Amino acid sequence: IAGDIAAQAIHNFKTQLQLNRDKRLKENGFWTRYIMNSMGPLKPMPLEEFSPTLDSVSLEDVKMAAKHYLKKGRGYFASLRPK
């Protein structure tokens, strides 16, 4: 797979994720899903771990994951949903 990703793109994506998370924390639906997911076998990430985990993702992490998962001959489906 040919391509490159800039550090600024990762920064922008992480910023958007954090802003979306901050907004969702103020909505009842977030808490309803969080509580329901807490009762299942796959527990949600503890609230206090989200920001440090997001901050810890580096450009190198993204490149390693892309190299591992994005291989020729594999099919991928992506969905873009505008607000």
Side-chain angles (χ1 to χ4, degrees):
I1 300 289
D4 197 11
I5 187 166
Q8 187 63 44
I10 300 301
H11 173 75
N12 292 347
F13 185 73
K14 289 166 57 172
T15 299
Q16 190 62 46
L17 282 176
Q18 186 65 58
L19 291 172
N20 287 341
R21 170 74 170 210
D22 293 344
K23 179 183 173 192
R24 288 192 331 264
L25 285 172
K26 298 174 186 172
E27 299 171 352
N28 288 336
F30 172 87
W31 295 103
T32 301
R33 285 185 299 279
Y34 192 86
I35 291 167
M36 294 301 292
N37 290 336
S38 295
M39 295 181 205
L42 300 174
K43 306 295 183 213
M45 177 184 290
L47 296 173
E48 67 275 4
E49 290 182 19
F50 180 82
S51 293
T53 300
L54 182 60
D55 290 342
S56 74
V57 176
S58 70
L59 177 59
E60 287 307 311
D61 295 330
V62 173
K63 286 182 177 183
M64 281 180 25
K67 187 175 182 178
H68 180 77
Y69 291 106
L70 301 178
K71 309 246 183 203
K72 287 185 180 181
R74 287 189 180 173
Y76 296 96
F77 177 80
S79 176
L80 298 175
R81 295 179 276 167
K83 292 182 179 182

